[in-house]
């Protein structure tokens, strides 16, 4: 009973520690607004696809060890019992002499060691080691794709957070206008149509706010899935829309990308691996020189057939392949075809990367122009709203005209925020498109 209580206490403590650890992890993202670097770092460290790729490295390491095993001797212990009958015998001088015992026992330690296989094992090891390089590059590629997804999600959330604030401010102004025109109607200075129009605008703004809040919830669900947090975790990200000059010279960017993109490096590694595979297939028909030795105890020796005696055997073996039904020839053709196929993959990757870099650079340029244009439109909208406010107070402008100017200012702010978020997303995409890590 006492042991059961101790076990229960131990399990409860473990559960509490695990729960506390999970709460600490969540609080790191909910206590304050989080920075992009923290989010990307957490995604890269904990995402299942990255952990799976890292686990694949263990399998690759085991494959290298397996290839190197051919250098070491094979040792085994054997034991056997055989009952034979009839027992072979000969007749001498009227008597019978057994040539072997009826019960045969054999215990032996057997060793087999390859002495030289004309680089066959060396080629296999090189092929296995190439898998490690490919696995490492695959892991980098997965991390980059996660970084793009996380960065896009992060800046979309930045935009939605700020857009909701803009809508809340717009709704505040509309509510004040509704109160103002309601009081004016009581004095006969405003019509029912002005009140109705203001309420319609409030309703439209609330619908837009609801759409933005729903979009934010969806994006937060994506971010929580990337971070491995509960779906309903409320995370607030930092507004760091820092616009900086960007290099969008296409030729230099494409040239840089072809030297640094993981996809091209991966295809290059696959090509080298295919060439190693071709050399490995060629070496399959190389001779193999090996040594073998066996020692132990068995019976069946004269003069006492039933007595077990120590024995051994040792020797050298040479295996030279002569004919395998054209198997080797066809394997070489297949390996050569793989090399040629990968060369086409290399060319296709170059074209795809060049197109991707060009498009991302063009999108970044467009974002820069949109920021400039949106900034100008916002300045004009702010000025128009100020003039409309003065005209409204002077009685030269209707309430609806003033609402139009205020709505235009709010939309201009939203457009500028969207353009800034698009710039940050496109800048990050271009950085990753040319081969920079992004994490």
């Amino acid at each position: 009973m006492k042991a059961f209580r101790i076990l229960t206490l131990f399990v409860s403590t473990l559960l509490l520690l695990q729960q506390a650890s999970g709460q600490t992890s969540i609080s790191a993202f909910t206590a304050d607004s989080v920075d992009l670097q923290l989010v990307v770092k957490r995604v890269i460290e904990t995402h299942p696809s990255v952990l799976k790729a890292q686990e694949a490295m263990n399998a690759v390491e085991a494959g290298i060890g397996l290839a190197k095993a051919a250098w070491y001797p094979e040792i085994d212990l054997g034991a056997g019992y055989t009952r034979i009958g009839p027992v072979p015998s000969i007749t001498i001088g009227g008597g019978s002499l057994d040539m072997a015992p009826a019960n045969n026992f054999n215990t032996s330690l057997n060793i087999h060691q390859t002495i030289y296989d004309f680089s066959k094992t060396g080629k296999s090891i090189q092929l296995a080691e190439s898998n490690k390089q490919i696995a490492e590059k695959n892991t980098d590629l997965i991390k980059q794709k996660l970084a793009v997804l996380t960065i896009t999600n992060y800046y979309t959330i930045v935009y939605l957070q700020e857009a909701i604030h803009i809508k809340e401010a717009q709704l505040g102004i509309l509510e004040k206008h509704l109160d103002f025109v309601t009081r004016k109607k009581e004095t006969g200075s405003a019509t029912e149509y002005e009140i109705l129009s203001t309420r319609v605008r409030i309703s439209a703004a609330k619908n837009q706010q609801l759409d933005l809040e729903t979009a934010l919830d969806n994006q937060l669900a994506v971010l929580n899935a990337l971070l491995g947090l509960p779906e309903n975790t409320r995370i607030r990200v930092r507004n760091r829309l820092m616009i900086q000059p960007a290099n969008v010279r296409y030729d230099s960017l494409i040239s840089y990308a072809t030297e640094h993109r993981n996809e091209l490096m991966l295809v290059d590694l696959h090509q080298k691996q295919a060439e190693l595979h071709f050399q490995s297939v060629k070496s399959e028909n190389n001779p193999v020189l090996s040594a073998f030795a066996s020692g132990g105890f068995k019976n069946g020796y004269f003069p006492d057939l039933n007595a077990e005696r120590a024995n051994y055997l040792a020797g050298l073996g040479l295996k030279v392949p002569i004919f395998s039904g054209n198997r080797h020839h066809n394997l070489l053709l297949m390996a050569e075809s793989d090399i040629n196929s990968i060369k086409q993959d290399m060319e296709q990757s170059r074209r795809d990367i060049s197109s991707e870099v060009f498009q991302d650079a063009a999108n970044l340029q467009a974002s820069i122009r949109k920021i400039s244009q949106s900034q100008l439109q916002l300045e004009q909208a702010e000025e128009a709203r100020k003039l409309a406010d003065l005209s409204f107070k002077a009685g030269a402008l209707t309430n609806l005209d003033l609402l139009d100017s205020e709505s235009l200012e709010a939309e201009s702010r939203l457009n500028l925020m969207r353009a800034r978020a698009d710039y940050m997303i496109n800048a990050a995409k271009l950085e990753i498109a040319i081969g920079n890590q992004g994490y």
Side-chain angles (χ1 to χ4, degrees):
M1 191 69 178
K2 184 178 180 181
F4 177 75
R5 289 177 179 174
I6 294 174
L7 179 61
T8 304
L9 181 61
F10 177 71
V11 173
S12 301
T13 304
L14 284 179
L15 291 174
L16 287 172
L17 289 173
Q18 184 178 8
Q19 184 178 7
S21 175
Q23 290 175 348
T24 301
S25 176
I26 294 174
S27 65
F29 291 89
T30 57
D32 194 8
S33 58
V34 294
D35 194 67
L36 175 62
Q37 284 71 24
L38 176 63
V39 174
V40 174
K41 182 174 180 291
R42 162 81 181 222
V43 171
I44 296 301
E45 288 178 351
T46 63
H47 200 273
S49 60
V50 176
L51 299 179
K52 181 180 177 181
Q54 292 172 344
E55 190 61 36
M57 293 290 296
N58 296 331
V60 170
E61 292 284 356
I64 295 173
L66 188 63
K68 290 181 177 180
W71 278 340
Y72 302 106
E74 294 182 10
I75 304 174
D76 63 83
L77 182 65
Y81 163 75
T82 304
R83 172 75 180 183
I84 65 173
V87 175
S89 61
I90 59 174
T91 302
I92 301 177
S96 178
L97 177 64
D98 291 339
M99 302 297 296
N103 298 303
N104 292 269
F105 300 92
N106 180 31
T107 304
S108 63
L109 181 67
N110 308 300
I111 302 174
H112 183 276
Q113 171 69 61
T114 298
I115 297 175
Y116 189 62
D117 61 4
F118 297 88
S119 75
K120 185 184 292 188
T121 299
K123 299 293 184 185
S124 297
I125 293 172
Q126 289 179 348
L127 195 60
E129 288 175 340
S130 70
N131 286 330
K132 181 179 180 180
Q133 294 176 312
I134 290 174
E136 289 173 346
K137 197 54 64 179
N138 267 326
T139 303
D140 291 340
L141 193 57
I142 290 171
K143 289 179 179 180
Q144 276 197 341
K145 289 180 179 179
L146 281 174
V148 171
L149 182 60
T150 305
I151 291 169
T152 302
N153 172 262
Y154 183 92
Y155 285 119
T156 302
I157 291 175
V158 169
Y159 161 71
L160 291 171
Q161 285 180 171
E162 296 305 315
I164 290 171
H165 288 162
I166 292 171
K167 278 298 170 185
E168 287 174 349
Q170 184 184 5
L171 277 169
I173 294 172
L174 288 171
E175 293 288 353
K176 289 180 180 178
H177 272 287
L178 179 61
D179 180 66
F180 178 74
V181 294
T182 301
R183 284 188 281 106
K184 283 187 67 176
K185 182 179 180 298
E186 292 173 356
T187 63
S189 303
T191 65
E192 185 66 33
Y193 177 75
E194 289 179 290
I195 295 176
L196 181 61
S197 297
T198 306
R199 285 176 176 168
V200 168
R201 290 173 186 268
I202 290 174
S203 176
K206 285 183 176 180
N207 284 338
Q208 292 172 354
Q209 184 184 32
L210 180 61
D211 290 340
L212 290 170
E213 289 172 346
T214 302
L216 178 60
D217 288 340
N218 291 336
Q219 290 298 321
L220 285 174
V222 173
L223 182 58
N224 286 327
L226 288 169
L227 292 168
L229 301 177
E231 293 77 6
N232 60 350
T233 304
R234 301 303 297 182
I235 300 175
R236 180 170 180 78
V237 300
R238 239 166 249 176
N239 183 357
R240 293 288 180 86
L241 300 180
M242 301 173 62
I243 311 303
Q244 298 176 348
N247 172 23
V248 287
R249 291 179 297 176
Y250 299 107
D251 292 341
S252 61
L253 290 175
I254 291 173
S255 176
Y256 185 89
T258 54
E259 295 177 2
H260 294 85
R261 276 291 289 265
N262 283 322
E263 291 87 343
L264 282 176
M265 295 180 188
L266 190 59
V267 175
D268 184 58
L269 288 173
H270 277 298
Q271 182 173 343
K272 290 177 180 177
Q273 185 184 56
E275 292 169 353
L276 284 172
H277 177 62
F278 181 80
Q279 296 299 324
S280 178
V281 172
K282 284 181 68 176
S283 68
E284 281 188 2
N285 267 10
N286 291 345
V288 176
L289 178 63
S290 58
F292 61 90
S294 178
F297 294 88
K298 68 178 180 178
N299 60 352
Y301 289 98
F302 286 103
D304 187 353
L305 293 178
N306 292 313
E308 292 189 15
R309 297 179 59 183
N311 67 95
Y312 73 92
L313 63 88
L316 295 174
L318 179 64
K319 181 180 178 181
V320 182
I322 296 176
F323 181 68
S324 60
N326 289 327
R327 175 181 175 276
H328 185 253
H329 174 70
N330 288 316
L331 286 174
L332 284 175
L333 290 178
M334 291 172 62
E336 188 175 7
S337 177
D338 285 342
I339 294 173
N340 294 331
S341 177
I342 292 172
K343 287 180 180 178
Q344 300 308 315
D345 289 340
M346 176 70 79
E347 178 59 26
Q348 184 64 51
S349 295
R350 281 200 179 95
R351 295 183 184 184
D352 291 344
I353 287 171
S354 297
S355 175
E356 183 182 345
V357 171
F358 188 91
Q359 291 177 43
D360 287 341
N363 289 336
L364 185 59
Q365 280 189 324
S367 298
I368 294 172
R369 289 195 295 269
K370 283 183 179 179
I371 289 173
S372 177
Q373 293 165 3
S374 298
Q375 185 68 51
L376 181 63
Q377 291 168 7
L378 177 59
E379 291 174 2
Q380 191 272 339
E382 287 176 336
E383 208 50 47
R385 194 264 308 158
K386 291 177 183 177
L387 292 173
D389 190 49
L390 292 174
S391 298
F392 177 74
K393 290 178 180 178
L397 203 67
T398 67
N399 175 62
L400 298 180
D401 292 330
L402 178 60
L403 290 180
D404 285 338
S405 66
E406 290 173 343
S407 296
L408 180 61
E409 181 185 8
E411 290 302 318
S412 297
R413 290 188 186 280
L414 283 175
N415 290 337
L416 178 59
M417 184 59 61
R418 176 76 265 181
R420 287 177 176 272
D422 286 342
Y423 169 87
M424 299 303 295
I425 292 172
N426 290 327
K429 284 184 175 180
L430 181 59
E431 280 293 305
I432 293 175
I434 63 176
N436 292 336
Q437 293 291 351
Y439 57 90

